[in-house]
Amino acid sequence: MRLLVGLLAWWLGATALASTADHTRFEELQGPFTSADQVTQACLGCHTEAARQVIGTRHWTWDYENPHGGERLGKRTMLNTFCIADRSNEGFCQSCHVGYGWEDDTFDFTAETRVDCLACHNTGDYVKKGGWAGWPNEALTDLTLAARNVGASSRETCGTCHFYGGGGDGVKHGDLDSSLFHPHRELDAHMDAEGLNFTCSTCHQTEGHDVPGSRIRGTAVDAHPAMTRGSREERNPATCQACHGSTPHESGTHAQRLNEHTRALACQTCHIPAFARGGVPTKMEWDWSTAGRLDEEGNPIQVRNEDGYVIYDSKKGDFVPGENVVPEYLWWDGNTTFVTAETVIDPSERVAVNAYHGTPGAEEARIWPVKRALGKQPYDTVHMTLLQPQVAIPGNETAFWYNYDWDKALAAGTELAGQPFSGEYAFVETSMLWPITHMVAPGEMALECAACHADDGRLAGVEGVWLPGRDRHRLLDRFGFGLAGLVLLGVVGHGALRIANRNRREGP
């Protein structure tokens, strides 16, 4: 019943937000448009506050202060185990920015006409090419047609960036890739194209262009009843509990017992048995240290595995792909800290680019599934800091993809990022965690009890967990079995005596 109420509330909210305007009939959108920012000007003629709202969001700033550690985070400044850094590569990376023209630190973040309305609201062919600093490829895009056919955001508009982040389809997250454009029920019970058919904004319910849900400021626990969709509660509407509440199991012989599990487990732990299971591999390892190998004629090379997936690229190095990957599990309370370009590292051990925090058993923590992505990337052997290379600016002689020269790429990247660089570098092993929260399987595909309640179960190694069927106290076990043995011996002895004396008669 709770699920039905939640779905009804969602449906009412969705129908209430349905557009009542046919944009193909608006005179302002008849064009012709010779540049993309002219489309934005036309949009703002009616949607007067839209750009101002967008400018206040992380989708625009790519900048965010970590409420736990105080670091400046967001795509603009964060480091990762994939493309390493945005700084000095803005002209390429910002093809996924919701704006036009962000090439370097001179970009005007207050310019409302630089907001790209079509990035999220186009309904057809709209291509923002890598290396064009967010400007669309006008040779492949009919701006007038795109402007006249705007609509609500969709899996296609969100997925164009979020499914392909990190350099390709499914590279980063493991639970976000092109298989979710039109998924079947077994892949995602909510986004099932023939079923509930949720879009991204069904859960990430946006208000004032601010999209809720963040891996930087995660909501690890939401121990409240289901909320009405469209309500203005100070909660993250993108959590499982926002729709299902904190006691979601209502039927079946084990409903109460399963609800008790929500005290320690995130919903995703049982209901996402594996990630990258839609036929698109995700990168589990990325080794930059091997990049730059060329063939005998000096040309870049690619190597593919038997499934056709690239496992070596001269531009990027070696990859290890993974499909149907079982997550790792850890306690998380929403607090995540990150290594920055200023952090002094210890290269004698694998550097954790981020760390998830949570005290085992704490009220505000739950056991979460994560993807652990391994990397190998450059660091300064004098300053002991991870470095930010320039790799992707087309035609730039200092960019690694166009010269295969780490010395030039690191010198240029660190200078543009304002990072000290000694000129001495090597490569260090790194790791990064990503929360697994998409690709929710149907209830009948959730993990069985034995998946965890076993000696070698999924939660092996997770601290603060006592699992019947797995955990035991040897001394107590010996005492219990010994006591049971004595009882059994007594029963057998008593029975033997009764049998031995069954034919004896009492005397007169």
Side-chain angles (χ1 to χ4, degrees), residues 283-336:
K283 282 190 174 69
M284 299 302 297
E285 298 183 31
W286 185 330
D287 183 355
W288 280 95
S289 70
T290 61
R293 291 203 300 260
L294 306 175
D295 65 16
E296 294 179 354
E297 297 178 355
N299 297 315
I301 58 176
Q302 280 190 345
V303 179
R304 297 177 182 271
N305 63 12
E306 61 274 11
D307 297 319
Y309 190 77
V310 176
I311 56 174
Y312 179 80
D313 189 319
S314 296
K315 290 183 175 181
K316 302 177 181 181
D318 281 292
F319 311 127
V320 175
E323 289 188 75
N324 298 303
V325 182
V326 173
E328 292 187 27
Y329 300 92
L330 49 75
W331 288 96
W332 187 39
D333 60 12
N335 179 4
T336 309

Short mmCIF file of all heavy atoms in Angstrom, two decimals, residues 283-336:
data_model
loop_
_atom_site.label_atom_id
_atom_site.label_comp_id
_atom_site.label_asym_id
_atom_site.label_seq_id
_atom_site.Cartn_x
_atom_site.Cartn_y
_atom_site.Cartn_z
N LYS A 283 34.86 0.69 -16.21
CA LYS A 283 36.30 0.60 -15.96
C LYS A 283 36.55 0.39 -14.47
O LYS A 283 36.21 1.23 -13.65
CB LYS A 283 37.01 1.87 -16.45
CG LYS A 283 37.20 1.90 -17.96
CD LYS A 283 38.11 3.05 -18.36
CE LYS A 283 38.44 3.00 -19.84
NZ LYS A 283 37.30 3.30 -20.71
N MET A 284 37.17 -0.73 -14.15
CA MET A 284 37.53 -1.04 -12.77
C MET A 284 38.96 -0.60 -12.47
O MET A 284 39.30 -0.35 -11.31
CB MET A 284 37.37 -2.54 -12.51
CG MET A 284 35.95 -3.05 -12.69
SD MET A 284 34.74 -2.21 -11.62
CE MET A 284 35.33 -2.68 -10.00
N GLU A 285 39.82 -0.53 -13.51
CA GLU A 285 41.19 -0.08 -13.33
C GLU A 285 41.60 0.76 -14.53
O GLU A 285 41.21 0.47 -15.68
CB GLU A 285 42.15 -1.27 -13.18
CG GLU A 285 41.87 -2.15 -11.97
CD GLU A 285 42.90 -3.26 -11.82
OE1 GLU A 285 44.08 -3.04 -12.22
OE2 GLU A 285 42.53 -4.33 -11.32
N TRP A 286 42.39 1.81 -14.25
CA TRP A 286 42.88 2.70 -15.31
C TRP A 286 44.32 3.06 -14.97
O TRP A 286 44.58 3.74 -13.98
CB TRP A 286 42.00 3.95 -15.39
CG TRP A 286 42.31 4.90 -16.52
CD1 TRP A 286 43.51 5.13 -17.10
CD2 TRP A 286 41.38 5.77 -17.18
NE1 TRP A 286 43.41 6.07 -18.10
CE2 TRP A 286 42.09 6.48 -18.16
CE3 TRP A 286 40.02 6.00 -17.04
CZ2 TRP A 286 41.49 7.43 -18.99
CZ3 TRP A 286 39.42 6.95 -17.86
CH2 TRP A 286 40.14 7.64 -18.83
N ASP A 287 45.26 2.62 -15.79
CA ASP A 287 46.69 2.82 -15.55
C ASP A 287 47.24 3.82 -16.56
O ASP A 287 47.51 3.48 -17.72
CB ASP A 287 47.42 1.48 -15.66
CG ASP A 287 48.91 1.59 -15.36
OD1 ASP A 287 49.40 2.72 -15.16
OD2 ASP A 287 49.58 0.55 -15.32
N TRP A 288 47.44 5.07 -16.12
CA TRP A 288 47.97 6.12 -16.99
C TRP A 288 49.47 5.94 -17.27
O TRP A 288 49.99 6.50 -18.23
CB TRP A 288 47.74 7.49 -16.36
CG TRP A 288 46.37 8.06 -16.53
CD1 TRP A 288 45.34 7.97 -15.64
CD2 TRP A 288 45.89 8.83 -17.64
NE1 TRP A 288 44.23 8.64 -16.14
CE2 TRP A 288 44.54 9.17 -17.36
CE3 TRP A 288 46.45 9.26 -18.83
CZ2 TRP A 288 43.76 9.93 -18.23
CZ3 TRP A 288 45.67 10.02 -19.70
CH2 TRP A 288 44.34 10.34 -19.40
N SER A 289 50.14 5.18 -16.43
CA SER A 289 51.61 5.10 -16.57
C SER A 289 52.03 4.42 -17.86
O SER A 289 53.17 4.61 -18.31
CB SER A 289 52.20 4.35 -15.37
OG SER A 289 51.88 2.97 -15.41
N THR A 290 51.16 3.63 -18.47
CA THR A 290 51.52 2.93 -19.70
C THR A 290 51.10 3.70 -20.95
O THR A 290 51.35 3.24 -22.08
CB THR A 290 50.85 1.54 -19.73
OG1 THR A 290 49.43 1.70 -19.70
CG2 THR A 290 51.30 0.70 -18.55
N ALA A 291 50.46 4.86 -20.77
CA ALA A 291 50.02 5.65 -21.93
C ALA A 291 51.23 6.15 -22.72
O ALA A 291 52.32 6.33 -22.17
CB ALA A 291 49.18 6.83 -21.47
N GLY A 292 51.02 6.34 -24.00
CA GLY A 292 52.07 6.91 -24.84
C GLY A 292 52.79 5.94 -25.73
O GLY A 292 53.63 6.35 -26.53
N ARG A 293 52.49 4.63 -25.61
CA ARG A 293 53.14 3.66 -26.50
C ARG A 293 52.59 3.84 -27.92
O ARG A 293 51.38 3.97 -28.12
CB ARG A 293 52.89 2.24 -26.02
CG ARG A 293 53.59 1.90 -24.72
CD ARG A 293 53.79 0.39 -24.59
NE ARG A 293 52.53 -0.33 -24.60
CZ ARG A 293 51.90 -0.79 -23.52
NH1 ARG A 293 52.42 -0.56 -22.32
NH2 ARG A 293 50.78 -1.45 -23.62
N LEU A 294 53.49 3.80 -28.91
CA LEU A 294 53.11 3.99 -30.30
C LEU A 294 53.56 2.78 -31.12
O LEU A 294 54.39 1.98 -30.67
CB LEU A 294 53.74 5.27 -30.85
CG LEU A 294 53.47 6.55 -30.05
CD1 LEU A 294 54.27 7.72 -30.64
CD2 LEU A 294 51.99 6.88 -30.01
N ASP A 295 53.02 2.65 -32.33
CA ASP A 295 53.45 1.54 -33.18
C ASP A 295 54.79 1.88 -33.84
O ASP A 295 55.38 2.94 -33.59
CB ASP A 295 52.37 1.20 -34.20
CG ASP A 295 52.12 2.32 -35.22
OD1 ASP A 295 52.96 3.24 -35.33
OD2 ASP A 295 51.07 2.27 -35.90
N GLU A 296 55.27 0.99 -34.69
CA GLU A 296 56.58 1.16 -35.30
C GLU A 296 56.67 2.40 -36.18
O GLU A 296 57.76 2.92 -36.41
CB GLU A 296 56.94 -0.09 -36.11
CG GLU A 296 57.11 -1.34 -35.26
CD GLU A 296 57.44 -2.55 -36.11
OE1 GLU A 296 57.42 -2.43 -37.35
OE2 GLU A 296 57.73 -3.63 -35.53
N GLU A 297 55.52 2.87 -36.65
CA GLU A 297 55.51 4.06 -37.50
C GLU A 297 55.22 5.33 -36.71
O GLU A 297 55.03 6.40 -37.29
CB GLU A 297 54.47 3.87 -38.61
CG GLU A 297 54.79 2.71 -39.54
CD GLU A 297 53.72 2.52 -40.60
OE1 GLU A 297 52.70 3.23 -40.54
OE2 GLU A 297 53.92 1.67 -41.49
N GLY A 298 55.17 5.20 -35.40
CA GLY A 298 54.94 6.37 -34.57
C GLY A 298 53.48 6.77 -34.43
O GLY A 298 53.19 7.90 -34.04
N ASN A 299 52.57 5.85 -34.72
CA ASN A 299 51.14 6.16 -34.63
C ASN A 299 50.54 5.58 -33.35
O ASN A 299 50.98 4.53 -32.86
CB ASN A 299 50.41 5.58 -35.84
CG ASN A 299 50.87 6.18 -37.15
OD1 ASN A 299 51.03 7.39 -37.26
ND2 ASN A 299 51.11 5.33 -38.13
N PRO A 300 49.52 6.25 -32.80
CA PRO A 300 48.86 5.72 -31.59
C PRO A 300 48.15 4.42 -31.89
O PRO A 300 47.74 4.15 -33.03
CB PRO A 300 47.89 6.83 -31.21
CG PRO A 300 47.64 7.59 -32.47
CD PRO A 300 48.92 7.52 -33.24
N ILE A 301 47.98 3.59 -30.87
CA ILE A 301 47.36 2.28 -31.05
C ILE A 301 46.24 2.07 -30.05
O ILE A 301 46.15 2.75 -29.02
CB ILE A 301 48.39 1.15 -30.88
CG1 ILE A 301 49.05 1.23 -29.49
CG2 ILE A 301 49.44 1.21 -31.97
CD1 ILE A 301 50.01 0.10 -29.19
N GLN A 302 45.37 1.14 -30.37
CA GLN A 302 44.34 0.65 -29.46
C GLN A 302 44.37 -0.88 -29.48
O GLN A 302 44.61 -1.47 -30.53
CB GLN A 302 42.95 1.14 -29.87
CG GLN A 302 42.62 2.56 -29.46
CD GLN A 302 41.15 2.88 -29.66
OE1 GLN A 302 40.42 2.15 -30.36
NE2 GLN A 302 40.70 3.98 -29.06
N VAL A 303 44.11 -1.47 -28.34
CA VAL A 303 44.02 -2.91 -28.22
C VAL A 303 42.67 -3.25 -27.62
O VAL A 303 42.26 -2.63 -26.63
CB VAL A 303 45.15 -3.49 -27.33
CG1 VAL A 303 45.01 -5.01 -27.21
CG2 VAL A 303 46.52 -3.12 -27.91
N ARG A 304 41.98 -4.21 -28.22
CA ARG A 304 40.66 -4.61 -27.73
C ARG A 304 40.69 -6.05 -27.25
O ARG A 304 41.45 -6.87 -27.76
CB ARG A 304 39.60 -4.44 -28.82
CG ARG A 304 39.42 -2.99 -29.28
CD ARG A 304 38.40 -2.86 -30.42
NE ARG A 304 38.26 -1.49 -30.87
CZ ARG A 304 37.40 -0.62 -30.36
NH1 ARG A 304 36.55 -1.02 -29.40
NH2 ARG A 304 37.34 0.62 -30.80
N ASN A 305 39.83 -6.36 -26.30
CA ASN A 305 39.72 -7.75 -25.84
C ASN A 305 38.78 -8.53 -26.75
O ASN A 305 38.28 -8.01 -27.76
CB ASN A 305 39.27 -7.81 -24.38
CG ASN A 305 37.88 -7.22 -24.15
OD1 ASN A 305 37.13 -6.95 -25.09
ND2 ASN A 305 37.53 -7.03 -22.89
N GLU A 306 38.50 -9.77 -26.39
CA GLU A 306 37.69 -10.62 -27.26
C GLU A 306 36.25 -10.13 -27.39
O GLU A 306 35.54 -10.49 -28.34
CB GLU A 306 37.69 -12.06 -26.72
CG GLU A 306 37.11 -12.24 -25.33
CD GLU A 306 38.15 -11.99 -24.24
OE1 GLU A 306 39.25 -11.48 -24.57
OE2 GLU A 306 37.85 -12.31 -23.07
N ASP A 307 35.82 -9.26 -26.48
CA ASP A 307 34.47 -8.71 -26.56
C ASP A 307 34.42 -7.38 -27.28
O ASP A 307 33.36 -6.75 -27.37
CB ASP A 307 33.89 -8.54 -25.15
CG ASP A 307 33.75 -9.87 -24.43
OD1 ASP A 307 33.32 -10.85 -25.08
OD2 ASP A 307 34.07 -9.94 -23.22
N GLY A 308 35.57 -6.93 -27.78
CA GLY A 308 35.63 -5.68 -28.52
C GLY A 308 35.81 -4.45 -27.67
O GLY A 308 35.77 -3.32 -28.17
N TYR A 309 36.03 -4.64 -26.35
CA TYR A 309 36.20 -3.50 -25.46
C TYR A 309 37.66 -3.07 -25.43
O TYR A 309 38.56 -3.90 -25.33
CB TYR A 309 35.72 -3.88 -24.06
CG TYR A 309 35.61 -2.71 -23.12
CD1 TYR A 309 34.54 -1.82 -23.20
CD2 TYR A 309 36.57 -2.49 -22.14
CE1 TYR A 309 34.42 -0.75 -22.33
CE2 TYR A 309 36.47 -1.42 -21.26
CZ TYR A 309 35.40 -0.55 -21.36
OH TYR A 309 35.31 0.51 -20.50
N VAL A 310 37.90 -1.76 -25.51
CA VAL A 310 39.27 -1.24 -25.52
C VAL A 310 39.93 -1.48 -24.16
O VAL A 310 39.41 -1.05 -23.13
CB VAL A 310 39.29 0.26 -25.85
CG1 VAL A 310 40.73 0.80 -25.76
CG2 VAL A 310 38.74 0.50 -27.25
N ILE A 311 41.07 -2.18 -24.17
CA ILE A 311 41.80 -2.43 -22.92
C ILE A 311 43.16 -1.72 -22.92
O ILE A 311 43.86 -1.74 -21.90
CB ILE A 311 41.98 -3.93 -22.66
CG1 ILE A 311 42.68 -4.61 -23.84
CG2 ILE A 311 40.63 -4.59 -22.39
CD1 ILE A 311 43.02 -6.08 -23.59
N TYR A 312 43.54 -1.14 -24.07
CA TYR A 312 44.71 -0.26 -24.11
C TYR A 312 44.48 0.81 -25.15
O TYR A 312 43.98 0.55 -26.25
CB TYR A 312 46.01 -1.01 -24.44
CG TYR A 312 47.17 -0.03 -24.50
CD1 TYR A 312 47.77 0.41 -23.33
CD2 TYR A 312 47.61 0.51 -25.71
CE1 TYR A 312 48.80 1.36 -23.36
CE2 TYR A 312 48.63 1.45 -25.76
CZ TYR A 312 49.23 1.87 -24.59
OH TYR A 312 50.22 2.82 -24.61
N ASP A 313 44.88 2.04 -24.79
CA ASP A 313 44.78 3.18 -25.70
C ASP A 313 46.01 4.04 -25.47
O ASP A 313 46.33 4.36 -24.32
CB ASP A 313 43.50 3.98 -25.41
CG ASP A 313 43.23 5.06 -26.45
OD1 ASP A 313 44.19 5.72 -26.89
OD2 ASP A 313 42.06 5.26 -26.80
N SER A 314 46.71 4.38 -26.55
CA SER A 314 47.92 5.19 -26.40
C SER A 314 47.66 6.49 -25.66
O SER A 314 48.53 7.00 -24.95
CB SER A 314 48.50 5.52 -27.79
OG SER A 314 48.92 4.35 -28.46
N LYS A 315 46.45 7.04 -25.81
CA LYS A 315 46.12 8.30 -25.15
C LYS A 315 45.93 8.14 -23.64
O LYS A 315 46.18 9.08 -22.89
CB LYS A 315 44.82 8.87 -25.74
CG LYS A 315 44.93 9.40 -27.15
CD LYS A 315 43.59 10.01 -27.57
CE LYS A 315 43.69 10.67 -28.94
NZ LYS A 315 42.39 11.28 -29.34
N LYS A 316 45.50 6.94 -23.21
CA LYS A 316 45.04 6.82 -21.83
C LYS A 316 45.69 5.69 -21.03
O LYS A 316 45.56 5.66 -19.81
CB LYS A 316 43.52 6.62 -21.82
CG LYS A 316 42.76 7.74 -22.50
CD LYS A 316 41.26 7.47 -22.53
CE LYS A 316 40.50 8.58 -23.22
NZ LYS A 316 39.03 8.32 -23.24
N GLY A 317 46.32 4.75 -21.69
CA GLY A 317 46.96 3.65 -20.98
C GLY A 317 46.12 2.39 -20.95
O GLY A 317 45.27 2.16 -21.81
N ASP A 318 46.35 1.57 -19.92
CA ASP A 318 45.68 0.27 -19.81
C ASP A 318 44.40 0.37 -18.99
O ASP A 318 44.32 1.12 -18.01
CB ASP A 318 46.62 -0.74 -19.13
CG ASP A 318 47.66 -1.29 -20.09
OD1 ASP A 318 47.27 -2.01 -21.02
OD2 ASP A 318 48.85 -0.98 -19.91
N PHE A 319 43.40 -0.43 -19.37
CA PHE A 319 42.13 -0.50 -18.67
C PHE A 319 41.82 -1.95 -18.29
O PHE A 319 42.21 -2.88 -18.98
CB PHE A 319 40.97 -0.02 -19.55
CG PHE A 319 41.20 1.30 -20.23
CD1 PHE A 319 41.04 1.42 -21.60
CD2 PHE A 319 41.56 2.42 -19.51
CE1 PHE A 319 41.22 2.63 -22.25
CE2 PHE A 319 41.75 3.64 -20.14
CZ PHE A 319 41.58 3.75 -21.51
N VAL A 320 41.08 -2.10 -17.20
CA VAL A 320 40.50 -3.39 -16.84
C VAL A 320 38.99 -3.20 -16.76
O VAL A 320 38.51 -2.51 -15.86
CB VAL A 320 41.03 -3.92 -15.50
CG1 VAL A 320 40.31 -5.21 -15.11
CG2 VAL A 320 42.54 -4.17 -15.59
N PRO A 321 38.24 -3.76 -17.71
CA PRO A 321 36.79 -3.59 -17.70
C PRO A 321 36.13 -4.62 -16.78
O PRO A 321 36.71 -5.66 -16.47
CB PRO A 321 36.39 -3.84 -19.16
CG PRO A 321 37.43 -4.82 -19.64
CD PRO A 321 38.71 -4.47 -18.92
N GLY A 322 34.92 -4.33 -16.36
CA GLY A 322 34.17 -5.27 -15.52
C GLY A 322 32.69 -5.22 -15.84
O GLY A 322 32.12 -4.16 -16.10
N GLU A 323 32.06 -6.40 -15.86
CA GLU A 323 30.61 -6.51 -16.01
C GLU A 323 30.05 -7.40 -14.91
O GLU A 323 30.74 -8.29 -14.40
CB GLU A 323 30.25 -7.11 -17.37
CG GLU A 323 30.51 -6.21 -18.56
CD GLU A 323 29.95 -6.78 -19.85
OE1 GLU A 323 28.71 -6.72 -20.04
OE2 GLU A 323 30.74 -7.29 -20.66
N ASN A 324 28.79 -7.15 -14.54
CA ASN A 324 28.14 -7.92 -13.48
C ASN A 324 29.04 -7.98 -12.24
O ASN A 324 29.30 -9.06 -11.69
CB ASN A 324 27.79 -9.32 -13.96
CG ASN A 324 26.80 -9.30 -15.11
OD1 ASN A 324 25.71 -8.75 -15.00
ND2 ASN A 324 27.19 -9.89 -16.25
N VAL A 325 29.49 -6.84 -11.83
CA VAL A 325 30.46 -6.74 -10.74
C VAL A 325 29.74 -6.73 -9.39
O VAL A 325 28.80 -5.96 -9.18
CB VAL A 325 31.31 -5.47 -10.88
CG1 VAL A 325 32.34 -5.40 -9.76
CG2 VAL A 325 31.99 -5.42 -12.24
N VAL A 326 30.18 -7.57 -8.47
CA VAL A 326 29.67 -7.56 -7.10
C VAL A 326 30.30 -6.37 -6.37
O VAL A 326 31.53 -6.24 -6.36
CB VAL A 326 30.00 -8.87 -6.37
CG1 VAL A 326 29.62 -8.78 -4.89
CG2 VAL A 326 29.28 -10.03 -7.04
N PRO A 327 29.50 -5.50 -5.76
CA PRO A 327 30.07 -4.33 -5.08
C PRO A 327 30.90 -4.71 -3.87
O PRO A 327 30.83 -5.83 -3.35
CB PRO A 327 28.83 -3.53 -4.64
CG PRO A 327 27.68 -4.11 -5.41
CD PRO A 327 28.03 -5.54 -5.69
N GLU A 328 31.70 -3.77 -3.40
CA GLU A 328 32.26 -3.84 -2.07
C GLU A 328 31.27 -3.19 -1.11
O GLU A 328 30.38 -2.45 -1.54
CB GLU A 328 33.61 -3.12 -2.00
CG GLU A 328 34.71 -3.80 -2.81
CD GLU A 328 36.07 -3.17 -2.58
OE1 GLU A 328 36.28 -2.58 -1.50
OE2 GLU A 328 36.91 -3.26 -3.49
N TYR A 329 31.45 -3.46 0.19
CA TYR A 329 30.50 -2.93 1.17
C TYR A 329 31.26 -2.29 2.32
O TYR A 329 32.31 -2.78 2.76
CB TYR A 329 29.60 -4.06 1.70
CG TYR A 329 28.80 -4.72 0.60
CD1 TYR A 329 29.31 -5.85 -0.06
CD2 TYR A 329 27.57 -4.22 0.19
CE1 TYR A 329 28.59 -6.45 -1.09
CE2 TYR A 329 26.85 -4.82 -0.83
CZ TYR A 329 27.37 -5.93 -1.47
OH TYR A 329 26.66 -6.52 -2.50
N LEU A 330 30.70 -1.18 2.82
CA LEU A 330 31.32 -0.47 3.93
C LEU A 330 30.28 0.38 4.66
O LEU A 330 29.21 0.67 4.13
CB LEU A 330 32.49 0.40 3.44
CG LEU A 330 32.27 1.31 2.22
CD1 LEU A 330 31.45 2.54 2.57
CD2 LEU A 330 33.60 1.73 1.62
N TRP A 331 30.62 0.77 5.88
CA TRP A 331 29.76 1.67 6.64
C TRP A 331 29.93 3.10 6.12
O TRP A 331 31.05 3.55 5.90
CB TRP A 331 30.13 1.63 8.12
CG TRP A 331 29.73 0.36 8.82
CD1 TRP A 331 30.50 -0.73 9.05
CD2 TRP A 331 28.44 0.07 9.38
NE1 TRP A 331 29.78 -1.69 9.73
CE2 TRP A 331 28.52 -1.23 9.95
CE3 TRP A 331 27.23 0.78 9.48
CZ2 TRP A 331 27.43 -1.82 10.59
CZ3 TRP A 331 26.16 0.18 10.12
CH2 TRP A 331 26.26 -1.10 10.66
N TRP A 332 28.81 3.79 5.96
CA TRP A 332 28.86 5.17 5.45
C TRP A 332 27.78 5.99 6.12
O TRP A 332 26.62 5.55 6.22
CB TRP A 332 28.67 5.17 3.93
CG TRP A 332 28.85 6.51 3.28
CD1 TRP A 332 29.79 7.46 3.59
CD2 TRP A 332 28.10 7.06 2.18
NE1 TRP A 332 29.68 8.54 2.76
CE2 TRP A 332 28.64 8.32 1.89
CE3 TRP A 332 27.03 6.58 1.43
CZ2 TRP A 332 28.13 9.13 0.87
CZ3 TRP A 332 26.53 7.37 0.42
CH2 TRP A 332 27.07 8.63 0.13
N ASP A 333 28.15 7.17 6.60
CA ASP A 333 27.18 8.07 7.23
C ASP A 333 26.94 9.34 6.40
O ASP A 333 26.36 10.31 6.89
CB ASP A 333 27.64 8.44 8.65
CG ASP A 333 29.00 9.15 8.67
OD1 ASP A 333 29.48 9.56 7.59
OD2 ASP A 333 29.57 9.29 9.76
N GLY A 334 27.37 9.32 5.15
CA GLY A 334 27.23 10.48 4.27
C GLY A 334 28.45 11.37 4.26
O GLY A 334 28.57 12.26 3.42
N ASN A 335 29.38 11.14 5.17
CA ASN A 335 30.60 11.93 5.26
C ASN A 335 31.66 11.35 4.34
O ASN A 335 32.09 10.20 4.52
CB ASN A 335 31.08 11.95 6.71
CG ASN A 335 32.38 12.74 6.89
OD1 ASN A 335 32.89 13.34 5.96
ND2 ASN A 335 32.91 12.71 8.10
N THR A 336 32.09 12.13 3.36
CA THR A 336 33.13 11.71 2.42
C THR A 336 34.21 12.77 2.38
O THR A 336 33.91 13.95 2.24
CB THR A 336 32.56 11.51 1.01
OG1 THR A 336 31.40 10.68 1.07
CG2 THR A 336 33.57 10.88 0.09
#
